[in-house]
Amino acid sequence: MPKRVSLFVTCVVDQLFPRAGMAMADVLERLGYQLDFPEAQTCCGQPAFNSGFWDQAREVAAHFLDVFEDAECIVVPSGSCTAMITHHFAGIMEADPALLARARRIESRVYEFSRFLTEVAGVEDVGARFPHTVTYHDSCHALRELKIKSGPRQLLSAVSGLTLKEMDAAEECCGFGGTFSVKFDEVSGAMARTKIESIHRTGAEYVVSIDSSCLMQLQGALSRAGSPVRALHLSEVLASR
Amino acid sequence: MNPIPEQKIHDTLANANLQLAIYDATARLMHKRRTALDNPLAADFEAWREQANRIKRHTIENLDHYLEQLEQNLVHNGGKVIWARDATEAADFILKLAKDNNALRLVKSKSMTTEEIDLNERLEHHRLDVVETDLGEYILQLAHQRPYHIVAPALHMTRYQVADIFTERLGVAREVVIEKQTMIARAKLREKFLTADIGITGANFLIADSGAVVVVENEGNARLSSSAPRIQIAVAGLEKLIPRAQDLAIFLKILGRSATGQPLTVYTSFLAGPRRAGEIDGPEQFYLVLVDNGRTRVLADRDKRQALYCIRCGACLNHCPVYRKIGGHNYPWVYSGPIGAILSPLFHGVTEDPWLPSASSLCGACGEVCPVKIEIPKILLELRNDVVKAKQREGSGKLERWAFRIWAFFMRHPKLYEMAGMAAPAILPEASGGAWIQSVALPLRIGPLARWLSQRDLPPPAARSFRQQWRERRRQA
């Protein structure tokens, strides 16, 4: 089991939701891990990759490899960015065998935060207390690319005082989709509103996810609709006491 | 390069009745599929998908061999194969056949391939009476509309709309009870079946080792179309092949379940040539029109030819959150939903509707349910890359290209990245108490920011980024 963990907090958490990153650091430190935050980190390259700009995505992905190459274990507060590294780096590096080999070497050392907790650290109860009703949103890339479904729910269920209520459309996309959210803004907005109807039907006070980009979409739509429901990263719930 | 049909999409989203019709109909189909898969009879569904994928891959990789085998066996059964390079060649053959046989009326069962080649319009142009006999297709023919969905063509219509169409086009008294509407169509269609000279069906599968066409359906109209008229034509894309009759079992098991949640459709017809000596029914002449119409172009694309595995079950449409909002008529071609978003650019090139592969949140639901395991999300991503390359060749899309170049430059230079991040709070003033931003000053109301704010609030920029907070935390420690 690694003692030392490198954090890749992702550009979205770094710039927009630092609280989710700090909460992740809190949880990991409480579990006894030594944390390292390589300062040269930026982004995984996903925005360019999903938009078809694979040359630019490859440049940024190569930068990620430069920064994290020597890390023993990398933990990421995002299913989508994790999947970019573990599932898509190789695809855009096929034409460059040296780069491809470096990407292949790092894949097995990158973990989405909840998966790191349940499968590497082997914990379910992190000693958190959060006396509220929450519902969990399956982010698409975590669910369908990383096959993460039960882990976050187990972690939430172990939180003292927390009531987990499943929504009927837990596996339905929130409508974010990166640049999709602004290229097809009306469709994206309609998808978000369908999702928050499902959230509201649970009566939950919080919607929790492991991807800050989904949470940005959901909180944006909740806030626009004047809803009292708040969107929270799993790390923020697990860091609560 | 066609732009995004924004106005049409807006109108679809603004139509509350239509939204409800699409959402409910697809929800029902999703539920039926789920129920069918939860049945112990389908416990091996994942293994069936895997096997179906392998059979399709093998067939498509050896298509030349199996096409020849199919033709040999079909000719042996007394039929004829017509190789149609495109829509015109397919329609011309059928027109000539009708003329040579003094045929005036044709009955058709449901076929996406004939939709693809605009067969009805081409035949009607030559004053032939072409009648769709699938209930949904019949309604759409009366309403002069294209199918909304691969499996449920009139999915977007309510029974009240159907009542209006029947009254207006058939001159019958208004009838809103679905069963009675069905009886009206049945009475009208029965007469057409009995007086038609030519019957046209599509094909769900073409079996190479038997020279047979397999058609699955629920209404019995394909069986009537293929048995009542004296001339029988099946129109099929040349990717519909499977090698052996014994391979069919697995496809019948996955198709019905994926499409409508049925373990098996009500009718499964095997059409293998004309009436033989001593038989009491069946057509006198039997033709299979094999349509290329762009398929060999897809076949040449090693990475994306798996799109040809599609068995047209419609499951990816039902599960697509984008299709469930924009419906079937905002896609540029007869194939809609995720499969349409990959088939259209693969058949016609990416430059015609360059927006289409981007009309997806990449949620991956389509790939998850595809019964032949086509990697639709992966192909969408590859097509987006093809679009970028095509735009670069044509010198268009400069703004987005430069935006990503500059973005990548910043992302490779952490100091620049950090400085850019610190600029955001200066541009967007933080509201009191960290409230989310509802609108921004007029000069900022452009581009992606405006489009984000058209639907949702914007997170306030963090006063201090994670890295700034981290440094402080380390200093204090």
Side-chain angles (χ1 to χ4, degrees), chain A residues 14-15 26 29 39 41-42 50 52 59 144 181-183 185-186 188 193-194 217 220 223-224, chain B residues 10 325 362-363 368 384-385 400 411-412 417 421 451 453-457 466-467 471 473:
Chain A
D14 183 27
Q15 295 298 323
D26 288 344
E29 277 185 341
E39 285 245 0
Q41 66 179 271
T42 55
N50 281 358
E59 288 174 22
R144 300 198 178 86
S181 65
V182 288
K183 281 182 179 166
D185 51 341
E186 283 197 69
S188 170
R193 287 187 287 276
T194 297
Q217 166 89 346
S223 171
R224 178 63 56 95
Chain B
H10 172 83
K325 290 294 172 201
L362 296 173
C363 81
E368 190 178 51
R384 292 181 186 190
N385 183 232
E400 195 182 13
M411 291 300 162
R412 283 189 291 116
Y417 157 88
R451 283 177 172 265
L453 285 167
S454 80
Q455 304 294 318
R456 312 133 279 218
D457 290 353
F466 177 88
R467 63 190 60 220
R471 276 178 211 134
R473 177 163 161 154

Side-chain angles (χ1 to χ4, degrees), chain A residues 79-95:
Chain A
S80 172
C81 305
T82 304
M84 175 67 200
I85 301 159
T86 58
H87 286 56
H88 298 296
F89 269 18
I92 55 174
M93 294 174 177
E94 269 167 4

Side-chain angles (χ1 to χ4, degrees), chain B residues 326-385:
Chain B
I326 70 172
H329 283 169
N330 290 310
Y331 292 85
W333 203 24
V334 290
Y335 301 110
S336 55
I339 191 67
I342 64 172
L343 288 179
S344 305
L346 288 174
F347 275 64
H348 303 135
V350 290
T351 51
E352 209 168 287
D353 293 286
W355 57 274
L356 192 52
S358 296
S360 160
S361 65
L362 296 173
C363 81
C366 49
E368 190 178 51
V369 298
C370 176
V372 291
K373 299 185 88 164
I374 301 171
E375 299 165 291
I376 301 175
K378 179 167 173 269
I379 297 175
L380 286 170
L381 283 162
E382 287 168 356
L383 286 166
R384 292 181 186 190
N385 183 232

Side-chain angles (χ1 to χ4, degrees), chain B residues 159-411:
Chain B
R159 58 198 171 118
Y160 303 103
Q161 288 170 305
V162 173
D164 292 342
I165 293 163
F166 276 9
T167 307
E168 188 188 323
R169 306 284 305 174
L170 301 175
V172 295
R174 187 175 157 85
E175 180 55 68
V176 296
V177 178
I178 292 173
E179 287 76 9
K180 290 184 177 168
Q181 291 177 338
T182 308
M183 294 315 287
I184 294 172
R186 183 187 162 106
K188 295 280 176 192
L189 289 171
R190 189 51 57 107
E191 176 215 331
K192 306 279 185 185
F193 280 123
L194 295 174
T195 53
D197 308 290
I198 296 178
I200 298 179
T201 69
N204 294 96
F205 304 99
L206 303 170
I207 309 179
D209 77 355
S210 334
V213 174
V214 180
V215 181
V216 303
E217 46 136 358
N218 285 318
E219 296 172 18
N221 64 305
R223 184 160 291 178
L224 267 174
S225 300
S226 60
S227 52
R230 62 194 162 96
I231 301 170
Q232 157 69 48
I233 305 171
V235 181
L238 43 79
E239 84 285 13
K240 290 285 174 200
L241 270 168
I242 55 172
R244 305 167 302 178
Q246 69 193 75
D247 298 323
L248 186 65
I250 207 116
F251 286 99
L252 294 180
K253 287 196 275 200
I254 57 172
L255 176 54
R257 287 179 169 90
S258 300
T260 52
Q262 292 170 282
L264 202 60
T265 46
V266 177
Y267 294 86
T268 304
S269 300
F270 295 76
L271 316 173
R275 181 191 308 189
R276 283 165 223 183
E279 289 182 342
I280 55 164
D281 58 6
E284 293 158 19
Q285 302 173 40
F286 184 92
Y287 303 93
L288 170 63
V289 180
L290 274 176
V291 180
D292 180 341
N293 204 35
R295 285 164 176 77
T296 46
R297 176 185 183 152
V298 185
L299 191 63
D301 190 330
R302 190 179 295 274
D303 294 329
K304 308 190 198 76
R305 64 172 63 136
Q306 54 166 314
L308 294 175
Y309 303 173
C310 177
I311 56 172
R312 310 281 190 265
C313 71
C316 63
L317 281 63
N318 305 333
H319 291 76
C320 176
V322 176
Y323 175 88
R324 299 183 76 195
K325 290 294 172 201
I326 70 172
H329 283 169
N330 290 310
Y331 292 85
W333 203 24
V334 290
Y335 301 110
S336 55
I339 191 67
I342 64 172
L343 288 179
S344 305
L346 288 174
F347 275 64
H348 303 135
V350 290
T351 51
E352 209 168 287
D353 293 286
W355 57 274
L356 192 52
S358 296
S360 160
S361 65
L362 296 173
C363 81
C366 49
E368 190 178 51
V369 298
C370 176
V372 291
K373 299 185 88 164
I374 301 171
E375 299 165 291
I376 301 175
K378 179 167 173 269
I379 297 175
L380 286 170
L381 283 162
E382 287 168 356
L383 286 166
R384 292 181 186 190
N385 183 232
D386 291 347
V387 169
V388 165
K389 287 189 276 195
K391 283 185 175 172
Q392 185 153 13
R393 276 196 299 277
E394 291 188 10
S396 61
K398 282 201 180 86
L399 190 64
E400 195 182 13
R401 189 158 58 248
W402 275 105
F404 272 109
R405 280 179 183 165
I406 294 165
W407 172 86
F409 185 81
F410 273 71
M411 291 300 162

